[in-house]
Amino acid sequence: MGKTNWAAVLPVQLGVAIVTLDISLTSTALPAIASGIGAGAASTIWIVNVYFVCVIAALLPLAALGEIFGHRRIFLSGLLVFALGALMCGASSSLPFLMAGRAVIGFGAAAVSATAPALIRAVYPPQQLGKGLGFYALVVGVAFSAGPTATSAVLAVADWPWLFWVMVPAALLTFAVASRGLPQTERNIRPFDIFSAVLCAATFGLVLMGVAGITRVSWPWVVLALVLGIVAGYVLLRRESGQSAPILSVDLFRIPLF
């Protein structure tokens, strides 16, 4: 019976906890952030929306990159990108710059989230994979639930930028631990289809932007985003039809259990 590689499990779970805690902190602190940068409540919600758009748009392309170039490499890159985004957010004095920082954080979080399950499969023995995935779900739940309490604790002693600045050393420390402990995973060497990746990102990103903008953006822009997203999805499905390793594996829905 194999043993769990805890030196590898720890950085994976730390990375998952950081990206999960971040979105919980930000969502809880929106009123304080809006007041700090002088933005209205209606526009401040895009601090959260732009994050989710970037995560959803980048998730599947980054998962494909993890299969091709190695999940370890994408995971570590995601932590560095996340730290850069957190630094940008903490230094923000305007809504556009803060939204840009949240977009960068979103891409970093997508890289971590896209590769974490694959790394868990690599670091746990096969007979303990269920326990590993359960632990992963537990970390996500605890980190998300801890967000409001952690936000209150930080805002009680510091201004809202510290919600992001504390994430910088946390991400860099996780990067250092992961650099030493994470093993290389099996790679599926194949060309990376950039056009399909762009279509995939456009499909999910535009559809999510359209849905998020229903109550806040004029209807012509909402309809345009939804239509373009659907068209991009149709072109993607046609392009990847019959491929052995598509970015969007719709054939999974043919499996009843899935």
Side-chain angles (χ1 to χ4, degrees):
M1 182 178 293
K3 294 183 178 180
T4 301
N5 183 0
W6 288 106
V9 170
L10 178 62
V12 174
Q13 302 293 5
L14 280 176
V16 169
I18 289 171
V19 300
T20 305
L21 183 61
D22 165 75
I23 186 57
S24 185
L25 289 173
T26 306
S27 300
T28 306
L30 276 183
I33 295 173
S35 176
I37 61 177
S43 57
T44 308
I45 193 62
W46 284 99
I47 296 172
V48 174
N49 287 347
V50 72
Y51 169 90
F52 281 118
V53 168
C54 291
V55 169
I56 295 300
L59 198 61
L60 292 180
L62 286 171
L65 282 174
E67 291 182 349
I68 297 171
F69 297 105
H71 296 101
R72 179 181 185 274
R73 181 177 298 176
I74 301 301
F75 183 87
L76 291 173
S77 300
L79 290 172
L80 292 180
V81 172
F82 182 93
L84 173 62
L87 189 62
M88 291 175 60
C89 289
S92 298
S93 58
S94 66
L95 180 60
F97 194 78
L98 181 56
M99 289 174 61
R102 291 302 297 166
V104 174
I105 283 183
F107 286 120
V112 171
S113 301
T115 53
L119 288 169
I120 288 173
R121 186 179 65 180
V123 301
Y124 275 91
Q127 66 274 12
Q128 296 185 20
L129 180 58
K131 182 174 73 174
L133 293 174
F135 187 28
Y136 168 82
L138 176 64
V139 169
V140 171
V142 170
F144 197 83
S145 300
T149 301
T151 301
S152 299
V154 172
L155 294 180
V157 297
D159 294 330
W160 67 266
W162 282 97
L163 294 171
F164 301 106
W165 282 335
V166 295
M167 290 295 179
V168 177
L172 294 179
L173 176 61
T174 303
F175 174 86
V177 176
S179 298
R180 295 175 60 87
L182 282 184
Q184 297 289 349
T185 57
E186 184 178 352
R187 295 165 58 186
N188 182 0
I189 305 299
R190 65 180 190 274
F192 179 66
D193 190 342
I194 297 178
F195 186 54
S196 291
V198 171
L199 286 172
C200 182
T203 298
F204 290 102
L206 287 169
V207 169
L208 184 57
M209 284 183 65
V211 172
I214 285 177
T215 59
R216 298 179 178 88
V217 181
S218 61
W219 274 101
W221 289 107
V222 170
V223 173
L224 179 62
L226 292 175
V227 170
L228 289 178
I230 292 172
V231 170
Y234 175 77
V235 176
L236 175 65
L237 293 179
R238 291 292 299 271
R239 180 178 177 84
E240 292 196 320
S241 178
Q243 291 189 13
S244 58
I247 290 180
L248 181 59
S249 301
V250 293
D251 58 319
L252 289 174
F253 292 99
R254 298 174 184 170
I255 304 174
L257 182 60
F258 180 81

